[in-house]
Amino acid sequence: ESLNFGIEGTGIDNMYLRWKYDVLDYKPDVVLYTIYIQDIYRIRPCINKPRFRIVDNKLEITNFPPPTPEEIYRTYRLPTFESFLIKHLVYNIQYFGGVNNKMYDEGLKVLSLILDEIKARSEQDSTYLMVPIIRRGNDVESSEKELQVLEALKAMLDEKGIPYVDSDLIFKREGYELTGNDEFNTFDHFRPEGYAAFAQGIKNKLEEDGVI
């Protein structure tokens, strides 16, 4: 029996909370912590989502649970002083080198601690943990930074001894070419046929590893 706990357009932070507060209640035999590369930088702080930070090499989660829109509206107060120049300067200093680059680097650090916790709990519960990776789902080639993050992610998983399966390798093994292939590909996601091929590749990997 397979249960899908995916959340549309979210990041590794909400995926971790979904695992911790929803998935574990089902006492799963297998956990697939599927990562679309862009999920790693989707940990940007926001007023209506939990905020993840690393303090003394441990995860610190604040703004949890986040306030409701009604609470945000009720407690909002106009600033006594506001300077768009200061905001601009602080923003550019904080994200020097590019927002995506900064958030990818921060996301990888957070992800490392998340994976440590999920792996430790999985070993405690005799749960098989695997990380399916989706590098891309469209005709646009991955950026240089995304390719660097992909390799860093694989190196991290190898170091932690966590098995993984790469969507590009699945499609290559099965002879599917995403670029220009309307049967398996839309602009930014797989079509149902593409997801079916990806799921089959995951199943094949689980069989190869003797899990099923």
Side-chain angles (χ1 to χ4, degrees):
E1 181 181 16
S2 299
L3 300 176
N4 185 355
F5 289 90
I7 311 172
E8 182 181 1
T10 192
I12 56 172
D13 47 2
N14 282 335
M15 291 162 53
Y16 160 80
L17 295 173
R18 175 58 63 91
W19 165 80
K20 187 169 185 176
Y21 294 105
D22 292 333
V23 172
L24 291 177
D25 290 341
Y26 289 87
K27 299 178 174 56
D29 299 306
V30 176
V31 167
L32 303 174
Y33 190 80
T34 304
I35 298 177
Y36 176 46
I37 290 299
Q38 294 183 5
D39 293 338
I40 296 174
Y41 78 67
R42 289 173 174 167
I43 61 166
R44 291 186 177 94
C46 181
I47 193 171
N48 62 350
K49 66 176 288 190
R51 181 179 183 184
F52 281 54
R53 293 193 307 164
I54 299 176
V55 179
D56 296 329
N57 204 35
K58 293 182 180 179
L59 279 181
E60 179 184 87
I61 305 175
T62 56
N63 202 42
F64 181 67
T68 64
E70 291 76 17
E71 290 173 320
I72 295 173
Y73 178 78
R74 188 174 64 250
T75 59
Y76 176 74
R77 297 290 182 272
L78 288 171
T80 56
F81 171 78
E82 187 169 24
S83 169
F84 290 102
L85 174 60
I86 293 177
K87 283 184 178 180
H88 177 75
L89 292 174
V90 170
Y91 183 87
N92 281 277
I93 292 173
Q94 181 178 0
Y95 294 110
F96 180 76
V99 176
N100 283 354
N101 288 348
K102 180 87 172 186
M103 295 311 298
Y104 267 128
D105 294 340
E106 183 67 19
L108 284 171
K109 296 175 185 176
V110 170
L111 179 60
S112 179
L113 295 178
I114 286 176
L115 290 175
D116 286 342
E117 181 176 342
I118 296 178
K119 181 185 178 184
R121 180 59 186 266
S122 297
E123 291 176 347
Q124 174 186 321
D125 296 344
S126 298
T127 300
Y128 184 84
L129 170 66
M130 186 171 78
V131 175
I133 302 171
I134 301 178
R135 177 165 77 88
R136 62 188 174 97
N138 54 44
D139 286 344
V140 180
E141 286 297 325
S142 301
S143 68
E144 182 179 347
K145 182 63 177 180
E146 287 172 338
L147 292 175
Q148 292 173 357
V149 171
L150 174 66
E151 295 307 311
L153 172 58
K154 290 181 177 181
M156 180 189 300
L157 295 170
D158 285 333
E159 181 181 347
K160 296 180 185 297
I162 299 175
Y164 62 88
V165 60
D166 184 335
S167 63
D168 271 25
L169 295 182
I170 288 175
F171 289 123
K172 184 177 181 180
R173 178 186 295 182
E174 300 300 325
Y176 300 129
E177 174 55 51
L178 286 184
T179 304
N181 188 339
D182 291 335
E183 182 180 1
F184 286 90
N185 175 58
T186 62
F187 177 68
D188 58 356
H189 288 284
F190 303 140
R191 291 190 184 278
E193 295 86 354
Y195 281 113
F198 183 49
Q200 183 65 51
I202 293 173
K203 178 176 181 290
N204 293 345
K205 173 65 174 174
L206 292 173
E207 288 177 339
E208 292 171 5
D209 291 350
V211 181
I212 59 174

